[in-house]
Structure formats: C-alpha cells, structure tokens
Amino acid sequence: MISASIEDFIKMFNWDTIIKMYGSSHSSVIGFLSSEWIKKSSDHSVLDGAPSPFVGKGRKGQKNADILLCK
C-alpha cells in the first residue's frame, strides 16, 4: 500500500471508540488498531511485539515496533 491508500484505509476505522480514552492509553490504542485492522479483512493479521532486526547494547541501536499490521 502506498501512503495515500494507507491513510484512506485508516480513516475507515471506527475512531469514535477511542475518543474518550484519557491518560496513558498506549496499550488500548494498540489494541484498537489491531482489532480494527483484523476486522477489515480475513487476510489481515497482527504481529504484536514485533522483533527488532537490530541488536545493540541496551536500547541503543534497536528499532522496535509495537505492532506489525500484516496482510
């Protein structure tokens, strides 16, 4: 997907679900994105806690993703 089509796709999510989340809702937003993605197609899946391809000392040099939206 190119960025414009990704933006259009994400606009179809039911954002009313999370407009009343306050405080530290990071995990709730990740759960929302995951479930909305999966609901959109039977070909969609999510990898939660995606591994880092880079190894460094501690957090240095690592690039982690919270989730990967897979197709």
Side-chain angles (χ1 to χ4, degrees), residues 26-70:
H26 178 87
S27 58
S28 298
V29 171
I30 295 301
F32 166 77
L33 292 172
S34 298
S35 61
E36 286 291 314
W37 176 257
I38 290 170
K39 283 194 288 187
K40 296 298 179 198
S41 173
S42 62
D43 292 337
H44 289 177
S45 61
V46 173
L47 178 59
D48 190 356
S52 171
F54 301 102
V55 178
K57 184 176 181 184
R59 300 287 298 161
K60 186 177 180 183
Q62 294 181 358
K63 297 183 182 202
N64 297 330
D66 289 315
I67 56 171
L68 290 179
L69 304 176
C70 306

Side-chain angles (χ1 to χ4, degrees), residues 1-18:
M1 287 184 156
I2 59 172
S3 60
S5 63
I6 292 170
E7 181 181 357
D8 290 339
F9 189 80
I10 290 174
K11 285 180 180 178
M12 294 188 312
F13 289 3
N14 183 12
W15 292 99
D16 292 340
T17 306
I18 65 169

